Amino acid sequence: MQKPNDLNQSRIVLKQDSTLIAVIEMSLSSWLVAGIVPGVERQPLKKLAVDESALLKLLNRWREEAEKAGRRIERIAVAFEAGRDGFWLARWLRARGIEAHVIHASSVAVSREHRRAKTDRLDTELLKRAFLGWLRGERDHCKMVAIPTTKDEDAKRPNRERQSLVGEQTRIVNRMKAALIRLGIRGFNPKLKKAAGRLEDLRTPEGEPIPPNTLAELHRDMERRRLVSDQIRQIEEGRLERMEQAPGDGPHAMVRLIARVIGVGIETADMLVHEVLSRKLRDRRAVARYAGLTGAPDESGSKRREKGLAKAGNARVRRGMIQLAWRFLLFQKDSALAQWYRTRTESAGKKRKTMIVALARKLLIALWRLVTTGEVPAGVVLRAA
């Protein structure tokens, strides 16, 4: 996320007499566009089909209305919340000279009433107020999401697809084991190469073969697992091929550098680089906050308590870093971070799980410094280049 002064310094002085402002409430079937048009007393609200050309025509029509009212439009600023549509519309608008921003959805303050009214019209009014405050440079009205390029978004797909396929593979194997256990058959490993040929030889405790419908289901699951395994292999081979073709490319060089840390595999390194480390984050606090590894304090008067992880950041990075932190303790026992963790948890039984999050946060910051400044974490052992 970007702070108000990072994105566009010219918005600190908002010239509302020459700025056309529009916000879009987006859904799968329609867009509701609300505007603030200089020189026009009414604040127009228009429902459109999901059509970027119709949106552009609407903005141009509002510009003409402002010019007829004697106001010369020098700037059109459009904003919408981050959601399923992603960032393509923002890139499309920017390519046509329109200033487009994507609002971080959880950064907009909403009413705390238990049963508050919520409609698309009310949501656009809320977005307008937040966007206006942000354009004036006032802090904490809302936060904007950095708009990635198509290349940056595409670079994340192989790792995310592989993660999804690995989960699907695990579900298939678990389903097959469950089907066999219901028949009393244990100890069969569906992941072996010759597992499919051994299904006909399996016998239940009663000495009966696997029933025909269950057997057919198991064969189909075997085929699915083989297909998923082939797709995972294709993704891994494609990534290695791209890294060999351009080893000095920015993200590829980062992946190779992080993979030199003993205990960090190529999959984890690829995920960290494309999800967080290749982003332009201003300091260590921004790195930890983006990963959702910061706390959520609850303080009021004399009450002081911690509600746990904020979980407002990237869930993939958070899960990956917590897993990597446990692995780091095994492979980098002499590092300063591992020693810090052991010192803090020597006499703390249940505190180990809490402190592993702190270790994950420190480790992520250390890896960020490694790829940005080349500073190797104290005591960390690297593989040969």
Side-chain angles (χ1 to χ4, degrees), residues 222-344:
M222 286 283 188
E223 290 296 327
R224 291 192 192 98
R225 197 197 70 81
R226 189 178 299 110
L227 174 61
V228 171
S229 297
D230 291 342
Q231 291 177 343
I232 292 173
R233 193 178 305 110
Q234 290 172 12
I235 293 172
E236 293 172 348
E237 292 173 354
R239 180 184 53 230
L240 292 176
E241 183 179 348
R242 289 190 296 272
M243 290 180 64
E244 290 175 359
Q245 291 175 353
D249 187 39
H252 293 166
M254 289 184 185
V255 172
R256 294 164 69 93
L257 177 59
I258 294 178
R260 288 183 58 195
V261 178
I262 294 178
V264 181
I266 192 72
E267 297 298 337
T268 303
D270 185 71
M271 181 274 293
L272 290 176
V273 167
H274 290 110
E275 294 289 346
V276 60
L277 298 179
S278 59
R279 298 173 66 92
K280 294 181 179 179
L281 298 170
R282 62 181 177 277
D283 56 23
R284 60 186 179 86
R285 290 185 178 87
V287 175
R289 189 164 53 248
Y290 179 80
L293 290 170
T294 54
D298 184 13
E299 300 181 359
S300 178
S302 61
K303 182 177 72 173
R304 297 287 188 276
R305 71 186 184 98
E306 182 67 41
K307 294 189 291 186
L309 285 179
K311 293 188 176 180
N314 190 313
R316 289 182 177 85
V317 177
R318 182 169 61 254
R319 288 193 299 266
M321 283 309 305
I322 292 175
Q323 293 171 3
L324 177 60
W326 288 113
R327 199 160 64 243
F328 189 80
L329 293 174
L330 296 176
F331 290 92
Q332 299 285 352
K333 296 180 180 179
D334 298 327
S335 64
L337 287 175
Q339 293 174 5
W340 171 86
Y341 176 82
R342 285 196 296 270
T343 302
R344 290 296 188 94

Side-chain angles (χ1 to χ4, degrees), residues 115-219:
R115 290 191 177 183
R116 66 182 180 90
K118 185 186 183 304
T119 64
D120 288 345
R121 181 181 58 81
L122 293 176
D123 286 346
T124 57
E125 292 297 324
L126 190 65
L127 288 179
K128 273 197 298 187
R129 288 195 297 271
F131 189 37
L132 271 173
W134 186 85
L135 287 170
R136 287 193 295 264
E138 300 174 11
R139 296 176 64 87
D140 298 328
H141 269 275
C142 62
K143 291 181 174 63
M144 297 297 172
V145 182
I147 299 174
T149 63
T150 305
K151 181 180 178 181
D152 292 337
E153 285 195 295
D154 188 61
K156 298 178 182 180
R157 299 315 307 169
N159 187 271
R160 292 188 178 187
E161 183 187 4
R162 183 187 180 279
Q163 186 178 20
S164 176
L165 290 173
V166 168
E168 185 177 349
Q169 185 182 46
T170 302
R171 286 191 294 273
I172 293 172
V173 171
N174 289 343
R175 187 167 64 243
M176 295 175 66
K177 288 182 177 180
L180 291 171
I181 288 174
R182 281 195 297 270
L183 298 173
I185 301 173
R186 298 176 180 271
F188 180 77
N189 188 355
K191 294 184 287 186
L192 297 177
K193 288 184 178 180
K194 297 181 180 180
R198 293 180 53 202
L199 286 175
E200 283 79 2
D201 299 332
L202 294 177
R203 293 294 182 269
T204 66
E206 295 88 354
E208 298 292 331
I210 299 175
N213 291 334
T214 303
L215 184 63
E217 178 187 351
L218 290 171
H219 277 297

